[in-house]
Amino acid sequence: MTMAQASHARAVPMHDPFRIGGFSLVAGKFSFLLPFVVLVAIWWTIKIAFDLDDRVLVAPPDVLGALWTLFSRGILADYAATSLYAIAVAIIFSACVGVPLGFAVGANKYVARSLDLFLRFFQGVSGISWLPLAIIWFGFSDTTILVIVVYTLVVPVIFNTMVGVRAIPREYALSLQTLGASRLRVVRDVYLPGALPSILVGLRLGMGYGWRALIAAEMLVRQGGLGDLIFGARTFGQIDRIIGGMIVIGVLYIIVDRLIVQPIESLTFERWGVLRK
Amino acid sequence: MTPTVQGDKIVVENFQHIFDSADGPIEATGRVDLTIPAGQFVTLVGPSGCGKTTLLKAIAGFIDPTHGRILCDGAPVTGPGRDRGVVFQELAILPWRTVRRNIAHGLEIARAPRQEIDATVKRLIELTGLVGFEDRYPHELSGGMKQRVAVARTWAADPDVILMDEPFAAVDAMTRLTLQEELASLSYQTKKTVFFITHSVDEAVFLADRVLVMSRRPGTIKASIEVPRRTPGGRDWESFTTDTDMQAIVEKVLRLVREEKTAHKKDSAPVALEAAG
Amino acid sequence: MTAIAHKPARKPVRGRDIVWMILPAIPFVLLLAGWTIYWAIVRPNMGTLPPVWTVAQTLWQITASGELLGHIIASLGRLVAGVSVGIVTGVLLGFLVGLNKRAAEFVYPLVIFFSAISGIVWLPLVIGWLGLGPALFIFLIWNTVFFLVFQNTVLGVQLVSEVLELGVRTLGGSRLHTILNVTAFGAMPYIMSGIRSGLGFGWRALIAAELVGASSGLGQMIFHAAEFHRADIILAGCVVIGLLSLLMDRLILVPLERRTIERWGLVTPGAKGA
């Protein structure tokens, strides 16, 4: 009886206007592509409807063509590698130097108090602001770019590590100490997992700042990298290369952010969600 | 089909709610028929997951019945309305409004004149023992106080019917006793129709004019027990616990509820059961 | 009585209070001292690293001449314009999308992609469209702020406890009333943290954009100085940039949060970056 009734039950409506027969763009695995299809269609329509010059806006296939040219000649790999290398160095450096530093700062309330404003101030002076000085010191070189990106990334990492350590309730450490745990053990079992969510927030935020600072620095220093690629293309009015480059910049960022950083972050948040603040 | 008689506030006819889940349709309730006369205080007890809350939500107008219909004053319920106030188990008062403004909210919505709002709010603040806390924000109050605000807010809006879903479940045991006594006298003084869901058999019998017992999922109303009011103007726990007639009713209801719980165990209920709550 | 009881308790704390007060200054003092010592020993070229006092002097000079103020006004004007547009569009669209689940599902992939390339990345393309005028800067800041405010608003709107909304509906509140009185307030902590990080990102994007091309603004001031090897101006400019960023946070956002979110006992969520 129950089953018969159930089949007549008014189902919770599953709205899916994009269902064509048994196939659905929305419910499927590639549903995320649909909005982009719509976007490209609008872009193309604008291009045709306003009859825009190629120096203002190019048609979508031209961008694909430009990307293919850049890719097949190895130019893209070259430029992208330069950018990825810089951001990778900055991330590794920030994790290796910024996190221990953040711990050292956060573990003592006097040190934390003294460095709070200092770090906030330098977080306010964005990395890119140091670019003119870095150019004077290191010239138009890769070193300049690396310095800028490392600076941009390391400050939020130190800061957020410090905040994370400070946010851990004292009772957690105390209760472990009453069990006779050593200092090292307290750090390993309380401070590290407790501060991890905050550290990852710092890394992620830093990466957002760092990636943009990198692109901006590359535009100005002009020593390779994706920023150089799109800014250089502007000089020759190659809109196809600019848009192609932008797509690459976005996709690379999403890959790093969504496929590496975010899964780790959400994992820690799910397990230690209580400390999120 | 019971015809709608004059004086029947709420009529539930052949009601059933079925919702879709990943494992197919789930019956949140069985077929329910229920009539609540105007001015009656009805409590509903039953094992968890039997569909008590679903029934309340349907009367409130938050969900549509899959089968049957629900009438309020002879008119079908189509959505939430100010004729049916709800006091939730979770805190539903707004954190950004002071006690006074939370209680006044319903009257503000109804665009009642200033003096009327002030008078009503003052009266309810006195009735619910919130004098002195008028300008506090909810986060500054204890759990019991917050729930008093929620009750006062609902009463201030002056609905005909008040639906309460385990409103005191999250309050500490001592406070709960006071709140129950206060509610008993408040509902007596204001002569509201109340539909009150609870887990606690003591609470159900203490407050009610009539106790309904729901069977395990998919729940139906399996018993209806009248509770004679001995003392006009409310009840108190002291005389309730020493009143042998009352304790006999408690015993009886307890037995009915327990039957459902043991039956539930024997059948080894499906996992989805709790979801139906 | 209480006043009397307080007084003796206060005195011994005083010394510690002063230490506590001056603690934030220590790293700055150490930095300046280190800088001065380095300068005294190495004696670098003035154009590479001037001594502290030269930077202070330069800062005073450009302040007195009004040059600095002009750049600050130019930069802040762009920031205010871009951020305002970003907040208004971000909040409005955030509500629209947050209240409509299907809209959210549709826009979300686009938002992820475009927030990944928000800000300075648009510069080469948009220079061609808007030229080097104010529209370019406003666009770049808007583009940065919008996504942060938008994403946080959507999140905030979606996370407002349903029971709060239902509670007001049963008091007779219309859908619009509920959105204005419940959803808007409930989403506030998220909106605020979106604005906060939006302001941070926007400020960076602006400085970067001004470096690349502008006739005024702090970014242009320091980039221009680099051409003449005026490290003193650059350093003075960096100090101003940092101070302004701190002041905006302390004087606008922190008090705003204190008057709303903290007063209501809500928790400020971690900002959703990028």
Side-chain angles (χ1 to χ4, degrees):
Chain A
M1 173 190 148
T2 47
M3 263 5 258
Q5 272 171 6
S7 61
H8 290 297
R10 201 195 51 163
V12 173
M14 292 276 285
H15 296 288
D16 186 356
F18 306 103
R19 187 175 286 277
I20 308 155
F23 175 76
S24 171
L25 262 174
V26 167
K29 221 176 177 181
F30 295 97
S31 61
F32 70 91
L33 285 175
L34 182 80
F36 292 100
V37 173
V38 173
L39 185 79
V40 170
I42 295 171
W43 163 13
W44 210 338
T45 313
I46 290 174
K47 164 80 179 159
I48 294 167
F50 294 94
D51 195 23
L52 295 173
D53 189 87
D54 274 353
R55 297 181 69 87
V56 178
L57 189 67
V58 293
D62 294 343
V63 173
L64 281 181
L67 275 174
W68 175 248
T69 311
L70 288 170
F71 178 73
S72 59
R73 294 193 192 153
I75 304 169
L76 187 62
D78 201 31
Y79 279 90
T82 309
S83 295
L84 287 176
Y85 173 75
I87 200 82
V89 169
I91 289 173
I92 293 166
F93 182 87
S94 304
C96 295
V97 176
V99 172
L101 223 61
F103 265 97
V105 173
N108 182 301
K109 80 172 178 189
Y110 291 99
V111 183
R113 160 90 183 164
S114 69
L115 277 168
D116 186 83
L117 188 69
F118 190 71
L119 287 170
R120 276 180 203 276
F121 175 79
F122 280 95
Q123 210 171 4
V125 193
S126 53
I128 201 74
S129 315
W130 296 109
L131 188 71
L133 196 65
I135 288 175
I136 290 180
W137 288 352
F138 308 110
F140 288 89
S141 68
D142 291 345
T143 317
T144 299
I145 293 178
L146 217 54
V147 166
I148 300 301
V149 180
V150 166
Y151 170 90
T152 309
L153 242 151
V154 84
V155 175
V157 170
I158 297 174
F159 188 76
N160 279 281
T161 306
M162 181 185 96
V163 170
V165 172
R166 305 291 310 150
I168 297 167
R170 277 177 58 82
E171 293 77 27
Y172 290 11
L174 286 176
S175 63
L176 211 65
Q177 275 164 354
T178 58
L179 294 175
S182 66
R183 217 179 152 74
L184 191 72
R185 186 145 190 122
V186 173
V187 169
R188 205 193 68 191
D189 290 359
V190 177
Y191 286 105
L192 206 56
L196 199 55
S198 189
I199 293 171
L200 288 166
V201 166
L203 266 170
R204 227 180 136 203
L205 207 61
M207 217 180 72
Y209 289 134
W211 186 242
R212 283 173 183 76
L214 173 70
I215 303 294
E218 285 169 349
M219 284 185 196
L220 284 154
V221 175
R222 307 293 310 274
Q223 292 293 317
L226 293 164
D228 184 16
L229 175 74
I230 59 173
F231 202 69
R234 191 189 79 86
T235 336
F236 305 103
Q238 293 164 306
I239 303 290
D240 50 350
R241 278 198 179 194
I242 298 181
I243 298 179
M246 287 170 73
I247 293 171
V248 172
I249 291 171
V251 168
L252 283 179
Y253 182 81
I254 290 171
I255 289 174
V256 176
D257 185 59
R258 299 274 152 170
L259 298 186
I260 303 171
V261 184
Q262 208 182 33
I264 303 172
E265 190 185 293
S266 47
L267 195 74
T268 57
F269 275 144
E270 270 160 36
R271 293 175 83 171
W272 304 300
V274 276
L275 287 173
R276 180 164 214 173
K277 208 200 158 180
Chain B
M1 301 280 153
T2 355
T4 316
V5 208
Q6 190 67 24
D8 283 350
K9 204 75 205 171
I10 297 287
V11 176
V12 177
E13 280 178 1
N14 199 25
F15 164 83
Q16 186 176 31
H17 182 71
I18 297 172
F19 64 89
D20 275 356
S21 77
D23 308 323
I26 290 180
E27 296 179 293
T29 66
R31 300 289 179 130
V32 177
D33 281 292
L34 168 67
T35 302
I36 305 176
Q40 196 172 55
F41 198 125
V42 175
T43 55
L44 176 66
V45 284
S48 42
C50 70
K52 301 187 292 282
T53 300
T54 305
L55 180 58
L56 182 133
K57 281 182 176 167
I59 298 174
F62 301 153
I63 51 175
D64 294 330
T66 312
H67 294 287
R69 59 179 188 157
I70 291 164
L71 306 174
C72 179
D73 277 328
V77 167
T78 52
R82 65 168 314 206
D83 54 338
R84 284 155 287 127
V86 182
V87 180
F88 298 87
Q89 177 183 349
E90 311 96 312
L91 281 167
I93 52 172
L94 302 179
W96 41 88
R97 279 177 173 248
T98 57
V99 168
R100 191 197 303 278
R101 295 211 54 218
N102 259 301
I103 298 176
H105 201 167
L107 292 163
E108 282 177 24
I109 290 169
R111 298 181 199 284
R114 192 76 254 162
Q115 294 103 316
E116 192 197 319
I117 296 182
D118 289 344
T120 311
V121 170
K122 189 164 179 283
R123 187 170 58 88
L124 277 159
I125 281 176
E126 279 161 12
L127 276 173
T128 49
L130 287 165
V131 178
F133 296 92
E134 293 90 338
D135 296 312
R136 297 286 185 86
Y137 284 94
H139 74 103
E140 299 167 314
L141 306 177
S142 67
M145 293 273 225
K146 285 180 201 164
Q147 208 50 287
R148 281 193 173 101
V149 178
V151 170
R153 177 178 84 162
T154 305
W155 250 268
D158 199 29
D160 292 339
V161 181
I162 290 171
L163 309 167
M164 304 177 91
D165 185 4
E166 298 189 39
F168 308 140
V171 176
D172 71 88
M174 288 307 292
T175 314
R176 195 182 305 142
L177 297 180
T178 323
L179 288 173
Q180 285 157 346
E181 287 175 349
E182 284 170 7
L183 177 64
S185 80
L186 186 67
S187 63
Y188 180 82
Q189 284 174 41
T190 50
K191 308 212 164 38
K192 297 279 179 208
T193 311
V194 183
F195 181 65
F196 186 107
I197 288 179
T198 176
H199 260 111
S200 153
V201 171
D202 276 331
E203 183 175 68
V205 177
F206 176 76
L207 290 168
D209 296 320
R210 184 155 64 108
V211 180
L212 302 173
V213 180
M214 211 164 178
S215 66
R216 76 206 152 83
R217 193 190 71 89
T220 52
I221 308 283
K222 68 175 248 177
S224 167
I225 299 112
E226 301 282 336
V227 185
R229 284 220 182 217
R230 287 286 167 83
T231 44
R235 297 175 184 182
D236 65 277
W237 277 103
E238 220 168 305
S239 52
F240 179 81
T241 35
T242 50
D243 186 327
T244 46
D245 290 352
M246 285 294 167
Q247 290 311 308
I249 298 175
V250 171
E251 289 287 313
K252 188 176 167 190
V253 176
L254 208 52
R255 209 175 313 120
L256 287 163
V257 173
R258 208 168 272 156
E259 275 170 24
E260 287 310 313
K261 289 213 168 136
T262 42
H264 166 149
K265 261 179 210 152
K266 259 182 241 157
D267 284 13
S268 69
V271 189
L273 193 141
E274 288 302 323
Chain C
M1 272 308 262
T2 39
I4 298 164
H6 253 128
K7 265 189 181 166
R10 232 184 187 178
K11 269 204 171 154
V13 190
R14 271 255 161 94
R16 278 182 131 194
D17 270 358
I18 292 166
V19 172
W20 194 247
M21 291 257 293
I22 59 166
L23 271 176
I26 293 172
F28 290 100
V29 172
L30 287 177
L31 181 73
L32 295 183
W35 173 1
T36 306
I37 292 165
Y38 175 83
W39 185 84
I41 296 168
V42 181
R43 289 275 168 178
N45 188 323
M46 278 294 262
T48 308
L49 184 73
V52 179
W53 46 90
T54 309
V55 174
Q57 231 167 18
T58 307
L59 188 58
W60 170 246
Q61 268 168 18
I62 54 175
T63 310
S65 70
E67 191 195 339
L68 181 65
L69 192 68
H71 288 304
I72 290 178
I73 290 171
S75 289
L76 284 184
R78 291 166 184 153
L79 188 71
V80 169
V83 168
S84 312
V85 181
I87 292 173
V88 171
T89 51
V91 168
L92 285 180
L93 277 167
F95 266 87
L96 222 68
V97 169
L99 292 168
N100 185 333
K101 212 176 168 199
R102 267 192 292 157
E105 272 168 24
F106 185 78
V107 237
Y108 209 60
L110 290 178
V111 170
I112 291 173
F113 179 76
F114 282 99
S115 63
I117 54 166
S118 68
I120 197 70
V121 183
W122 283 87
L123 186 84
L125 185 64
V126 181
I127 281 184
W129 294 348
L130 302 173
L132 275 172
L136 173 71
F137 299 109
I138 293 175
F139 174 83
L140 290 179
I141 297 167
W142 166 79
N143 190 279
T144 308
V145 176
F146 172 79
F147 290 102
L148 290 162
V149 175
F150 175 81
Q151 276 180 290
N152 279 286
T153 306
V154 172
L155 197 68
V157 167
Q158 288 177 342
L159 289 180
V160 174
S161 161
E162 201 196 356
V163 78
L164 292 183
E165 292 169 346
L166 287 178
V168 172
R169 292 299 291 275
T170 61
L171 292 175
S174 62
R175 182 154 161 82
L176 185 68
H177 177 93
T178 311
I179 290 168
L180 293 176
N181 285 275
V182 183
T183 320
F185 284 89
M188 198 71 90
Y190 287 86
I191 297 174
M192 294 283 273
S193 80
I195 292 176
R196 208 168 175 176
S197 51
L199 208 59
F201 271 93
W203 185 235
R204 280 145 211 266
L206 174 67
I207 301 292
E210 285 179 344
L211 284 179
V212 178
S215 49
S216 61
L218 291 166
Q220 182 52 28
M221 183 182 89
I222 57 174
F223 194 60
H224 194 63
E227 285 174 31
F228 298 95
H229 273 246
R230 289 289 301 270
D232 53 337
I233 296 183
I234 299 174
L235 284 164
C238 286
V239 170
V240 173
I241 290 170
L243 277 178
L244 283 177
S245 163
L246 262 184
L247 286 178
M248 281 188 284
D249 204 54
R250 288 292 155 96
L251 296 182
I252 304 169
L253 293 171
V254 173
L256 210 62
E257 269 186 12
R258 212 163 272 161
R259 287 186 60 179
T260 54
I261 297 164
E262 277 180 32
R263 193 159 160 212
W264 305 329
L266 304 177
V267 181
T268 308
K272 218 176 134 54

